[in-house]
């Protein structure tokens, strides 16, 4: 039997004292021993804060994003090793794919977000300038900075890879080191991935530590800049959340707990419609994927009373075709639970539900269970189990007790309002699914149940073509839910990164805030230079470099020519009588003519370092431009983001955001916006 070591303070260590065993899910063979007794767990906190935290905090968001991308590539190259270890948990190849490659995909996703949206800096200005005075010399911005603590991630057993990576990606992107505490039952899979991460040398020393076993009294030594996240049972989560140290130090705590998620069949759906088959398929998949050991799995099946028998027969038929056994054997569709302890827990919960208003339609016992390529009693196998609750309003256990395995309960409703009530009776869910072809039903159900769910899938024939399914958390969408589901949020794109950062409102003059954020804001000092900004390479441009253009007077011919060229003959531009009756009182120039004319004023036409203009943001037309008005433009370098050169053949470049202000002859702003350009760098990365 192997000792499963922890990785703390830069060393692989194993504790002393009584150990806990990890068993093979299919054979009940004892594989590993786990203990952390006697290990310097407290030292790992300071080691992470100082060793890993210092390096990560000094890296820019762009550099951290590149680190995530490099690590994702490395893990993909070594995924076969992880699949072999994952098989010990009873997972099928499809189950492991979601866990391993789904987790790696999250690294890629957050790397892409950093590349597209985050600054090449250690400070993240979260919003635009907020004026606080009439003259514009007292303003504010919110900035995000890295906490100088550690993120302690306590994860569940069902997704030992994905559960770690979906937390680590935003943690590292925020510049914070992580300590991973996986659930012991599948800790060997997490450890295998951490080994790959450490050996890669891609992440700084101290950026990741691993605790295989208990955390001892670590909570007693957490500080206010630390963060704790938890995924697992609501009971354990609430116990951790109430720790006195968390309250004393106001330590952020995010909880994502298992919930009694539901799937609702719309009252409009009959067996003849394609949505009916989609409903049956989705439920079967959610019951059997990971042997039902998913926090997002469908636990409550809510169907119209008129379709109860049809749904019941269709589900029983589909579930009867699910082959259970050793996932290594061809044709096996569902593996085992994680261990015998979990199987006993599922059996206890099913028995409790049976005693509290639920009838077993199929499964419900391991006696005479037929499995392929394994021993049904030595392995932690449990059959797909469908229950039926005839009165879910009286028997509340079905909305409160979760059997964390391939178990779901069927119940019926008579009106859509009743279906909504049943959905909400779950007390807060991570995800729900509504299957309907009627947009008005979708409107009613979503508007009334959204408050009790973190995510809702509306499934019909159109969305099913590309739908990722009920139970698939996506990096760009929030994962979490209210009430029983924990009340926290994970993922959700850049929202997740902000959870690990400190938000601070800074106030001062425009020039001071420009200096702090390294992003120019209107009203700040500018840098006048006889060299046109478009003649400068990326490295040569300074924040605040500006150009005040020549002037141009707008004529009636401009309006006529632009209308003919664009096809825009809107009355305010072309109809003298109609325009006179409008709020403008006379004809005005097209807004997009003003933008085009502004480009004509500030663009340097010759070949130079500017490669392309690829975007415009925050365009606002402030005042009308009338015939005879004279416009002038101020172009200012607002911020710069260096882009990593992907291949030696690529031209090295960076993104420059320019502030554009268009004024009239009275020095009144008529249009404000930003443009984005790709600008060539002098030096490449190769």
């Amino acid at each position: 039997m192997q000792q499963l070591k922890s990785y703390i303070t830069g060393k692989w260590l194993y504790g002393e004292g009584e150990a806990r065993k990890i068993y093979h899910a299919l054979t009940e063979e004892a594989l590993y021993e786990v203990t952390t007794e006697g290990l310097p767990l407290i030292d790992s906190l300071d080691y992470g804060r100082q060793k890993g935290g210092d390096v990560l905090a000094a890296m820019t968001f762009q550099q951290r994003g590149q680190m995530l991308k490099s690590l994702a590539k490395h893990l993909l190259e070594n995924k076969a090793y992880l699949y072999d270890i994952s098989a010990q948990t009873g997972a099928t190849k499809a189950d492991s794919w979601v866990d391993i490659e789904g987790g790696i995909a999250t690294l890629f996703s957050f790397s892409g977000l950093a590349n597209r949206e985050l600054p090449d800096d250690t400070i993240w200005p979260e919003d635009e300038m907020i004026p606080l005075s009439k003259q514009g010399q007292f303003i504010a911005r919110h900035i995000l900075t890295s906490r100088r603590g550690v993120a302690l991630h306590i994860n569940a057993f069902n997704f030992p890879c994905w559960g770690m990576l979906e937390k680590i990606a935003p943690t590292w992107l925020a510049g914070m080191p992580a300590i991973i505490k996986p659930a012991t039952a599948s800790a060997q899979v997490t450890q295998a991935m951490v080994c790959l991460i450490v050996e890669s040398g891609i992440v700084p020393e101290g950026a990741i530590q691993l605790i295989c076993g208990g955390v001892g009294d670590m909570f007693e030594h957490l500080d206010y800049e630390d963060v704790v996240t938890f995924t697992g049972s609501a009971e354990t989560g609430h116990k951790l959340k109430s720790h006195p140290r968390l309250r004393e130090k106001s330590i952020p705590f995010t909880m994502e707990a298992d919930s009694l998620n539901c799937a609702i069949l719309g009252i409009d759906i009959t067996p003849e419609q394609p949505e009916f088959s989609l409903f049956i398929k989705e439920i079967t998949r959610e019951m059997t994927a990971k042997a039902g050991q998913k926090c997002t799995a469908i636990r409550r099946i809510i169907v119209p009373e008129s379709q109860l028998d049809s749904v019941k027969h269709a589900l029983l038929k589909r579930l009867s075709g699910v082959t259970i056994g050793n996932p290594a054997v061809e044709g096996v569709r569902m593996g085992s639970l994680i261990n015998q302890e979990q199987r006993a827990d599922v059996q206890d919960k099913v028995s409790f539900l049976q005693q509290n208003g639920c009838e077993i339609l199929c499964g419900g016992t391991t006696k005479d269970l037929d499995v392929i390529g394994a021993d049904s009693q030595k392995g932690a196998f449990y059959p797909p189990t469908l229950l039926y609750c005839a009165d879910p309003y009286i028997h509340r256990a079905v909305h409160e007790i979760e059997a964390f395995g391939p178990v779901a309960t069927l119940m019926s409703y008579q009106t859509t309002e009743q279906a909504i009530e049943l959905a909400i009776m779950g007390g807060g869910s991570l995800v729900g699914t509504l299957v309907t072809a009627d947009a008005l039903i979708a409107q009613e159900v979503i508007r009334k149940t959204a408050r009790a769910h973190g995510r809702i899938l509306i499934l019909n024939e159109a969305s099913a073509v590309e739908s990722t399914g009920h139970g698939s958390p996506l990096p760009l969408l929030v994962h979490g839910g209210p009430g029983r589901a924990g009340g926290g949020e994970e993922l959700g794109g850049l929202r997740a990164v902000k959870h690990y950062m400190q938000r601070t409102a800074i106030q001062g003059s425009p020039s001071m805030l420009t200096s702090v954020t390294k992003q120019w804001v209107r009203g700040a000092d500018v840098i006048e230079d006889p060299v046109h900004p478009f003649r400068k390479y990326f490295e040569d441009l300074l924040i605040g470099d500006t150009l005040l253009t020549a002037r141009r007077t707008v004529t009636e011919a401009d309006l006529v020519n632009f209308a003919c060229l664009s096809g825009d003959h809107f009355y305010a531009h072309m109809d003298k009588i109609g325009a006179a009756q409008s709020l403008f009182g006379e004809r005005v120039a097209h807004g997009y003519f003003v933008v085009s004319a502004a480009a004509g004023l500030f663009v340097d036409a010759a070949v130079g370092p500017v490669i392309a203009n690829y975007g415009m943001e925050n365009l606002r037309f402030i005042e009308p431009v009338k015939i005879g008005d004279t416009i002038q433009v101020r172009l200012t370098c607002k911020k710069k983001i260096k882009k990593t050169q992907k291949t030696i053949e690529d031209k090295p470049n960076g993104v420059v955001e320019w502030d554009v202000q268009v004024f009239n002859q009275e020095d009144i702003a008529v249009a404000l916006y930003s443009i984005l350009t790709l600008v060539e760098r002098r030096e490449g990365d190769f």
Side-chain angles (χ1 to χ4, degrees), residues 219 230 232-244 246-247 253 255-258 427 482-487:
F219 268 58
F230 170 81
S233 71
E235 181 181 358
T236 302
H238 288 303
K239 187 182 299 183
L240 293 175
K241 190 175 184 179
S242 62
H243 194 284
L246 299 186
R247 295 197 302 269
F253 182 94
M255 184 167 89
E256 186 258 285
D258 309 328
R484 181 191 172 95

Side-chain angles (χ1 to χ4, degrees), residues 291-433:
Q293 299 169 116
K294 295 169 59 181
C295 57
T296 54
I298 294 170
R299 303 299 182 196
R300 298 175 301 142
I301 308 165
I302 303 171
V303 303
E305 188 174 45
S306 59
Q307 302 302 332
L308 180 61
D309 287 340
S310 297
V311 170
K312 179 172 68 175
H313 292 139
L315 280 175
L316 291 174
K317 181 179 179 180
R318 187 113 186 177
L319 291 172
S320 67
V322 176
T323 49
I324 310 168
N326 184 345
V329 177
E330 187 175 353
V332 170
R333 289 182 54 196
M334 190 178 92
S336 69
L337 300 178
I338 189 69
N339 53 30
Q340 292 287 350
E341 182 182 352
Q342 183 63 24
R343 182 165 82 164
D345 182 72
V346 171
Q347 185 64 70
D348 288 345
K349 298 292 175 55
V350 169
S351 298
F352 184 86
L353 289 170
Q354 188 180 12
Q355 296 163 12
N356 287 270
C358 292
E359 171 191 351
I360 296 178
L361 300 180
C362 73
T365 178
T366 59
K367 185 179 180 181
D368 300 324
L369 180 60
D370 185 24
V371 302
I372 301 172
D375 187 313
S376 65
Q377 297 309 305
K378 287 186 177 180
F381 296 100
Y382 198 85
T385 299
L386 183 65
L387 307 177
Y388 168 61
C389 183
D391 195 342
Y393 296 98
I394 298 296
H395 299 291
R396 296 299 184 102
V398 73
H399 305 295
E400 298 170 354
I401 302 300
E402 179 183 27
F404 200 69
V407 182
T409 304
L410 186 63
M411 60 193 75
S412 66
Y413 68 89
Q414 293 180 329
T415 67
T416 298
E417 195 62 41
Q418 288 180 331
I420 293 167
E421 182 181 356
L422 289 172
I424 293 174
M425 286 174 72
S429 298
L430 293 172
V431 60
T433 286

Side-chain angles (χ1 to χ4, degrees), residues 127-129 141 519-522 534 592 595 598-599 602 612-622 633-640 655-662 671-678:
D127 49 20
E128 294 297 321
M129 173 189 73
R141 292 190 81 174
Q519 294 185 10
W520 187 86
V521 294
R522 290 172 189 147
F534 280 20
Y592 293 108
V595 172
F602 67 68
N613 174 345
Y614 74 95
M616 179 184 296
E617 296 180 342
N618 303 315
L619 172 62
R620 293 291 182 272
F621 296 117
I622 311 299
V633 183
R634 180 173 289 281
L635 178 78
T636 308
C637 180
K638 182 176 180 180
K639 65 179 179 180
K640 299 162 55 179
V655 174
V656 178
E657 181 176 343
W658 305 87
D659 179 80
V660 183
Q661 302 174 73
V662 186
L672 301 172
Y673 55 99
S674 295
I675 61 168
L676 303 172
T677 61
L678 283 179

Side-chain angles (χ1 to χ4, degrees), residues 18 66 70 89 111 125 150 196 250 262 295 382 447 571 619 629:
E18 185 177 355
Q66 285 301 312
S70 298
T89 68
S111 172
V150 293
L196 291 174
S250 300
C262 70
C295 57
Y382 198 85
R447 283 173 173 262
Y571 77 91
L619 172 62
D629 281 352

